[in-house]
PDB file of all heavy atoms in Angstrom:
ATOM      1  N   LYS A 359     -30.806  -8.210  17.020  1.00  0.00           N
ATOM      2  CA  LYS A 359     -31.280  -9.504  17.441  1.00  0.00           C
ATOM      3  C   LYS A 359     -31.809 -10.315  16.334  1.00  0.00           C
ATOM      4  O   LYS A 359     -31.672 -11.535  16.161  1.00  0.00           O
ATOM      5  CB  LYS A 359     -32.291  -9.385  18.556  1.00  0.00           C
ATOM      6  CG  LYS A 359     -32.861 -10.634  19.116  1.00  0.00           C
ATOM      7  CD  LYS A 359     -33.870 -10.438  20.233  1.00  0.00           C
ATOM      8  CE  LYS A 359     -34.389 -11.682  20.751  1.00  0.00           C
ATOM      9  NZ  LYS A 359     -35.501 -11.427  21.684  1.00  0.00           N
ATOM     10  N   ASP A 360     -32.496  -9.594  15.380  1.00  0.00           N
ATOM     11  CA  ASP A 360     -33.110 -10.307  14.247  1.00  0.00           C
ATOM     12  C   ASP A 360     -32.045 -10.808  13.316  1.00  0.00           C
ATOM     13  O   ASP A 360     -32.134 -11.895  12.763  1.00  0.00           O
ATOM     14  CB  ASP A 360     -33.989  -9.343  13.482  1.00  0.00           C
ATOM     15  CG  ASP A 360     -35.398  -9.076  14.269  1.00  0.00           C
ATOM     16  OD1 ASP A 360     -35.940 -10.001  14.758  1.00  0.00           O
ATOM     17  OD2 ASP A 360     -35.760  -7.901  14.218  1.00  0.00           O
ATOM     18  N   LEU A 361     -30.999  -9.973  13.024  1.00  0.00           N
ATOM     19  CA  LEU A 361     -29.893 -10.412  12.240  1.00  0.00           C
ATOM     20  C   LEU A 361     -29.161 -11.650  12.938  1.00  0.00           C
ATOM     21  O   LEU A 361     -28.766 -12.629  12.116  1.00  0.00           O
ATOM     22  CB  LEU A 361     -28.919  -9.327  12.008  1.00  0.00           C
ATOM     23  CG  LEU A 361     -29.348  -8.215  11.053  1.00  0.00           C
ATOM     24  CD1 LEU A 361     -28.407  -7.072  11.015  1.00  0.00           C
ATOM     25  CD2 LEU A 361     -29.472  -8.786   9.651  1.00  0.00           C
ATOM     26  N   GLN A 362     -28.912 -11.534  14.238  1.00  0.00           N
ATOM     27  CA  GLN A 362     -28.236 -12.698  14.888  1.00  0.00           C
ATOM     28  C   GLN A 362     -29.176 -14.002  14.711  1.00  0.00           C
ATOM     29  O   GLN A 362     -28.672 -15.037  14.502  1.00  0.00           O
ATOM     30  CB  GLN A 362     -28.016 -12.339  16.306  1.00  0.00           C
ATOM     31  CG  GLN A 362     -26.922 -11.277  16.466  1.00  0.00           C
ATOM     32  CD  GLN A 362     -26.892 -10.729  17.831  1.00  0.00           C
ATOM     33  OE1 GLN A 362     -27.791 -10.918  18.691  1.00  0.00           O
ATOM     34  NE2 GLN A 362     -25.782 -10.141  18.228  1.00  0.00           N
ATOM     35  N   GLN A 363     -30.436 -13.804  14.835  1.00  0.00           N
ATOM     36  CA  GLN A 363     -31.330 -15.015  14.732  1.00  0.00           C
ATOM     37  C   GLN A 363     -31.336 -15.494  13.320  1.00  0.00           C
ATOM     38  O   GLN A 363     -31.266 -16.776  13.189  1.00  0.00           O
ATOM     39  CB  GLN A 363     -32.814 -14.555  15.077  1.00  0.00           C
ATOM     40  CG  GLN A 363     -33.687 -15.713  15.051  1.00  0.00           C
ATOM     41  CD  GLN A 363     -33.586 -16.712  16.136  1.00  0.00           C
ATOM     42  OE1 GLN A 363     -33.202 -16.386  17.211  1.00  0.00           O
ATOM     43  NE2 GLN A 363     -33.739 -17.984  15.839  1.00  0.00           N
ATOM     44  N   LEU A 364     -31.221 -14.675  12.322  1.00  0.00           N
ATOM     45  CA  LEU A 364     -31.127 -15.116  10.947  1.00  0.00           C
ATOM     46  C   LEU A 364     -29.810 -15.925  10.730  1.00  0.00           C
ATOM     47  O   LEU A 364     -29.868 -17.039  10.075  1.00  0.00           O
ATOM     48  CB  LEU A 364     -31.143 -13.938   9.970  1.00  0.00           C
ATOM     49  CG  LEU A 364     -30.981 -14.240   8.495  1.00  0.00           C
ATOM     50  CD1 LEU A 364     -32.040 -15.127   7.944  1.00  0.00           C
ATOM     51  CD2 LEU A 364     -30.852 -13.010   7.667  1.00  0.00           C
ATOM     52  N   ARG A 365     -28.786 -15.470  11.258  1.00  0.00           N
ATOM     53  CA  ARG A 365     -27.472 -16.128  11.148  1.00  0.00           C
ATOM     54  C   ARG A 365     -27.508 -17.540  11.751  1.00  0.00           C
ATOM     55  O   ARG A 365     -27.102 -18.591  11.228  1.00  0.00           O
ATOM     56  CB  ARG A 365     -26.327 -15.319  11.744  1.00  0.00           C
ATOM     57  CG  ARG A 365     -25.015 -16.024  11.620  1.00  0.00           C
ATOM     58  CD  ARG A 365     -23.889 -15.104  11.973  1.00  0.00           C
ATOM     59  NE  ARG A 365     -23.557 -14.430  10.734  1.00  0.00           N
ATOM     60  CZ  ARG A 365     -22.861 -13.224  10.739  1.00  0.00           C
ATOM     61  NH1 ARG A 365     -22.422 -12.702  11.881  1.00  0.00           N
ATOM     62  NH2 ARG A 365     -22.598 -12.691   9.637  1.00  0.00           N
ATOM     63  N   LYS A 366     -28.193 -17.579  12.986  1.00  0.00           N
ATOM     64  CA  LYS A 366     -28.355 -18.886  13.635  1.00  0.00           C
ATOM     65  C   LYS A 366     -29.169 -19.827  12.782  1.00  0.00           C
ATOM     66  O   LYS A 366     -28.909 -21.034  12.725  1.00  0.00           O
ATOM     67  CB  LYS A 366     -28.972 -18.697  15.040  1.00  0.00           C
ATOM     68  CG  LYS A 366     -28.016 -18.128  15.994  1.00  0.00           C
ATOM     69  CD  LYS A 366     -28.698 -17.875  17.415  1.00  0.00           C
ATOM     70  CE  LYS A 366     -27.797 -17.166  18.374  1.00  0.00           C
ATOM     71  NZ  LYS A 366     -28.399 -16.948  19.647  1.00  0.00           N
ATOM     72  N   LEU A 367     -30.265 -19.330  12.230  1.00  0.00           N
ATOM     73  CA  LEU A 367     -31.160 -20.128  11.434  1.00  0.00           C
ATOM     74  C   LEU A 367     -30.437 -20.696  10.201  1.00  0.00           C
ATOM     75  O   LEU A 367     -30.568 -21.813   9.793  1.00  0.00           O
ATOM     76  CB  LEU A 367     -32.407 -19.410  11.021  1.00  0.00           C
ATOM     77  CG  LEU A 367     -33.433 -19.067  12.118  1.00  0.00           C
ATOM     78  CD1 LEU A 367     -34.522 -18.142  11.644  1.00  0.00           C
ATOM     79  CD2 LEU A 367     -34.051 -20.422  12.581  1.00  0.00           C
ATOM     80  N   MET A 368     -29.672 -19.833   9.628  1.00  0.00           N
ATOM     81  CA  MET A 368     -28.872 -20.168   8.379  1.00  0.00           C
ATOM     82  C   MET A 368     -27.858 -21.343   8.762  1.00  0.00           C
ATOM     83  O   MET A 368     -27.703 -22.261   8.032  1.00  0.00           O
ATOM     84  CB  MET A 368     -28.187 -19.054   7.784  1.00  0.00           C
ATOM     85  CG  MET A 368     -29.062 -18.075   7.138  1.00  0.00           C
ATOM     86  SD  MET A 368     -28.263 -16.514   6.641  1.00  0.00           S
ATOM     87  CE  MET A 368     -27.039 -17.204   5.484  1.00  0.00           C
ATOM     88  N   GLN A 369     -27.194 -21.231   9.965  1.00  0.00           N
ATOM     89  CA  GLN A 369     -26.293 -22.286  10.361  1.00  0.00           C
ATOM     90  C   GLN A 369     -27.003 -23.601  10.695  1.00  0.00           C
ATOM     91  O   GLN A 369     -26.547 -24.620  10.394  1.00  0.00           O
ATOM     92  CB  GLN A 369     -25.480 -21.803  11.543  1.00  0.00           C
ATOM     93  CG  GLN A 369     -24.586 -20.665  11.178  1.00  0.00           C
ATOM     94  CD  GLN A 369     -23.940 -19.965  12.444  1.00  0.00           C
ATOM     95  OE1 GLN A 369     -24.340 -20.174  13.478  1.00  0.00           O
ATOM     96  NE2 GLN A 369     -22.882 -19.165  12.174  1.00  0.00           N
ATOM     97  N   ALA A 370     -28.123 -23.389  11.310  1.00  0.00           N
ATOM     98  CA  ALA A 370     -28.944 -24.619  11.618  1.00  0.00           C
ATOM     99  C   ALA A 370     -29.422 -25.385  10.453  1.00  0.00           C
ATOM    100  O   ALA A 370     -29.548 -26.515  10.456  1.00  0.00           O
ATOM    101  CB  ALA A 370     -30.156 -24.259  12.558  1.00  0.00           C
ATOM    102  N   GLN A 371     -29.819 -24.618   9.378  1.00  0.00           N
ATOM    103  CA  GLN A 371     -30.319 -25.275   8.152  1.00  0.00           C
ATOM    104  C   GLN A 371     -29.200 -25.760   7.315  1.00  0.00           C
ATOM    105  O   GLN A 371     -29.420 -26.408   6.317  1.00  0.00           O
ATOM    106  CB  GLN A 371     -31.049 -24.179   7.380  1.00  0.00           C
ATOM    107  CG  GLN A 371     -32.361 -23.666   8.007  1.00  0.00           C
ATOM    108  CD  GLN A 371     -33.401 -24.727   7.948  1.00  0.00           C
ATOM    109  OE1 GLN A 371     -33.589 -25.381   6.885  1.00  0.00           O
ATOM    110  NE2 GLN A 371     -34.187 -24.879   8.994  1.00  0.00           N
ATOM    111  N   LYS A 372     -27.909 -25.535   7.767  1.00  0.00           N
ATOM    112  CA  LYS A 372     -26.749 -25.988   6.984  1.00  0.00           C
ATOM    113  C   LYS A 372     -26.768 -25.543   5.462  1.00  0.00           C
ATOM    114  O   LYS A 372     -26.551 -26.322   4.617  1.00  0.00           O
ATOM    115  CB  LYS A 372     -26.513 -27.393   7.135  1.00  0.00           C
ATOM    116  CG  LYS A 372     -26.290 -27.845   8.563  1.00  0.00           C
ATOM    117  CD  LYS A 372     -26.024 -29.211   8.758  1.00  0.00           C
ATOM    118  CE  LYS A 372     -25.800 -29.425  10.162  1.00  0.00           C
ATOM    119  NZ  LYS A 372     -25.549 -30.487  10.833  1.00  0.00           N
ATOM    120  N   LEU A 373     -27.204 -24.264   5.309  1.00  0.00           N
ATOM    121  CA  LEU A 373     -27.255 -23.730   3.984  1.00  0.00           C
ATOM    122  C   LEU A 373     -25.760 -23.545   3.415  1.00  0.00           C
ATOM    123  O   LEU A 373     -24.942 -23.231   4.158  1.00  0.00           O
ATOM    124  CB  LEU A 373     -27.991 -22.418   3.930  1.00  0.00           C
ATOM    125  CG  LEU A 373     -29.484 -22.435   4.310  1.00  0.00           C
ATOM    126  CD1 LEU A 373     -29.989 -21.071   4.420  1.00  0.00           C
ATOM    127  CD2 LEU A 373     -30.203 -23.267   3.298  1.00  0.00           C
ATOM    128  N   PRO A 374     -25.561 -23.768   2.138  1.00  0.00           N
ATOM    129  CA  PRO A 374     -24.244 -23.462   1.605  1.00  0.00           C
ATOM    130  C   PRO A 374     -23.842 -21.963   1.895  1.00  0.00           C
ATOM    131  O   PRO A 374     -24.662 -21.087   1.788  1.00  0.00           O
ATOM    132  CB  PRO A 374     -24.400 -23.735   0.060  1.00  0.00           C
ATOM    133  CG  PRO A 374     -25.875 -23.914  -0.218  1.00  0.00           C
ATOM    134  CD  PRO A 374     -26.551 -24.060   1.087  1.00  0.00           C
ATOM    135  N   ALA A 375     -22.614 -21.784   2.111  1.00  0.00           N
ATOM    136  CA  ALA A 375     -22.036 -20.409   2.422  1.00  0.00           C
ATOM    137  C   ALA A 375     -22.322 -19.539   1.168  1.00  0.00           C
ATOM    138  O   ALA A 375     -22.091 -19.923  -0.007  1.00  0.00           O
ATOM    139  CB  ALA A 375     -20.591 -20.552   2.724  1.00  0.00           C
ATOM    140  N   ASP A 376     -22.700 -18.335   1.454  1.00  0.00           N
ATOM    141  CA  ASP A 376     -22.890 -17.343   0.434  1.00  0.00           C
ATOM    142  C   ASP A 376     -22.202 -16.079   0.938  1.00  0.00           C
ATOM    143  O   ASP A 376     -22.646 -15.434   1.856  1.00  0.00           O
ATOM    144  CB  ASP A 376     -24.407 -17.117   0.271  1.00  0.00           C
ATOM    145  CG  ASP A 376     -24.720 -16.201  -0.890  1.00  0.00           C
ATOM    146  OD1 ASP A 376     -23.824 -15.363  -1.248  1.00  0.00           O
ATOM    147  OD2 ASP A 376     -25.782 -16.245  -1.528  1.00  0.00           O
ATOM    148  N   ARG A 377     -21.116 -15.702   0.227  1.00  0.00           N
ATOM    149  CA  ARG A 377     -20.305 -14.600   0.660  1.00  0.00           C
ATOM    150  C   ARG A 377     -21.114 -13.296   0.628  1.00  0.00           C
ATOM    151  O   ARG A 377     -21.030 -12.444   1.566  1.00  0.00           O
ATOM    152  CB  ARG A 377     -19.077 -14.443  -0.303  1.00  0.00           C
ATOM    153  CG  ARG A 377     -18.177 -13.311   0.117  1.00  0.00           C
ATOM    154  CD  ARG A 377     -17.021 -13.238  -0.869  1.00  0.00           C
ATOM    155  NE  ARG A 377     -17.451 -13.037  -2.255  1.00  0.00           N
ATOM    156  CZ  ARG A 377     -17.803 -11.946  -2.740  1.00  0.00           C
ATOM    157  NH1 ARG A 377     -17.739 -10.761  -2.054  1.00  0.00           N
ATOM    158  NH2 ARG A 377     -18.109 -11.808  -3.967  1.00  0.00           N
ATOM    159  N   LEU A 378     -22.038 -13.021  -0.335  1.00  0.00           N
ATOM    160  CA  LEU A 378     -22.828 -11.817  -0.423  1.00  0.00           C
ATOM    161  C   LEU A 378     -23.700 -11.726   0.808  1.00  0.00           C
ATOM    162  O   LEU A 378     -23.813 -10.609   1.423  1.00  0.00           O
ATOM    163  CB  LEU A 378     -23.650 -11.960  -1.712  1.00  0.00           C
ATOM    164  CG  LEU A 378     -24.494 -10.743  -2.042  1.00  0.00           C
ATOM    165  CD1 LEU A 378     -23.602  -9.585  -2.392  1.00  0.00           C
ATOM    166  CD2 LEU A 378     -25.350 -11.055  -3.267  1.00  0.00           C
ATOM    167  N   LEU A 379     -24.378 -12.788   1.203  1.00  0.00           N
ATOM    168  CA  LEU A 379     -25.176 -12.708   2.422  1.00  0.00           C
ATOM    169  C   LEU A 379     -24.483 -12.504   3.677  1.00  0.00           C
ATOM    170  O   LEU A 379     -24.846 -11.722   4.553  1.00  0.00           O
ATOM    171  CB  LEU A 379     -26.075 -14.020   2.535  1.00  0.00           C
ATOM    172  CG  LEU A 379     -27.138 -14.295   1.356  1.00  0.00           C
ATOM    173  CD1 LEU A 379     -27.675 -15.632   1.596  1.00  0.00           C
ATOM    174  CD2 LEU A 379     -28.166 -13.171   1.356  1.00  0.00           C
ATOM    175  N   ASP A 380     -23.306 -13.157   3.781  1.00  0.00           N
ATOM    176  CA  ASP A 380     -22.447 -13.064   4.948  1.00  0.00           C
ATOM    177  C   ASP A 380     -21.972 -11.579   5.091  1.00  0.00           C
ATOM    178  O   ASP A 380     -22.045 -11.050   6.149  1.00  0.00           O
ATOM    179  CB  ASP A 380     -21.330 -14.063   4.953  1.00  0.00           C
ATOM    180  CG  ASP A 380     -21.729 -15.458   5.222  1.00  0.00           C
ATOM    181  OD1 ASP A 380     -22.860 -15.649   5.713  1.00  0.00           O
ATOM    182  OD2 ASP A 380     -21.029 -16.328   4.764  1.00  0.00           O
ATOM    183  N   GLU A 381     -21.572 -11.003   3.994  1.00  0.00           N
ATOM    184  CA  GLU A 381     -21.025  -9.671   4.043  1.00  0.00           C
ATOM    185  C   GLU A 381     -22.205  -8.701   4.328  1.00  0.00           C
ATOM    186  O   GLU A 381     -22.021  -7.704   5.142  1.00  0.00           O
ATOM    187  CB  GLU A 381     -20.433  -9.331   2.713  1.00  0.00           C
ATOM    188  CG  GLU A 381     -19.069  -9.919   2.480  1.00  0.00           C
ATOM    189  CD  GLU A 381     -18.493  -9.572   1.068  1.00  0.00           C
ATOM    190  OE1 GLU A 381     -19.234  -8.934   0.307  1.00  0.00           O
ATOM    191  OE2 GLU A 381     -17.401 -10.051   0.864  1.00  0.00           O
ATOM    192  N   ALA A 382     -23.310  -8.831   3.826  1.00  0.00           N
ATOM    193  CA  ALA A 382     -24.522  -8.029   4.176  1.00  0.00           C
ATOM    194  C   ALA A 382     -24.898  -8.153   5.615  1.00  0.00           C
ATOM    195  O   ALA A 382     -25.162  -7.071   6.224  1.00  0.00           O
ATOM    196  CB  ALA A 382     -25.704  -8.419   3.295  1.00  0.00           C
ATOM    197  N   ILE A 383     -24.854  -9.317   6.191  1.00  0.00           N
ATOM    198  CA  ILE A 383     -25.217  -9.498   7.609  1.00  0.00           C
ATOM    199  C   ILE A 383     -24.161  -8.798   8.498  1.00  0.00           C
ATOM    200  O   ILE A 383     -24.465  -8.015   9.376  1.00  0.00           O
ATOM    201  CB  ILE A 383     -25.378 -10.909   7.966  1.00  0.00           C
ATOM    202  CG1 ILE A 383     -26.652 -11.608   7.305  1.00  0.00           C
ATOM    203  CG2 ILE A 383     -25.430 -11.093   9.517  1.00  0.00           C
ATOM    204  CD1 ILE A 383     -26.781 -13.053   7.453  1.00  0.00           C
TER     205      ILE A 383
END
Side-chain angles (χ1 to χ4, degrees):
K359 183 178 175 184
D360 290 318
L361 285 171
Q362 292 169 339
Q363 182 68 38
L364 175 61
R365 181 169 274 159
K366 287 179 186 176
L367 287 172
M368 289 172 62
Q369 291 169 348
Q371 295 285 320
K372 298 184 181 179
L373 297 173
D376 186 334
R377 185 182 54 82
L378 184 65
L379 293 174
D380 290 337
E381 288 176 358
I383 291 172

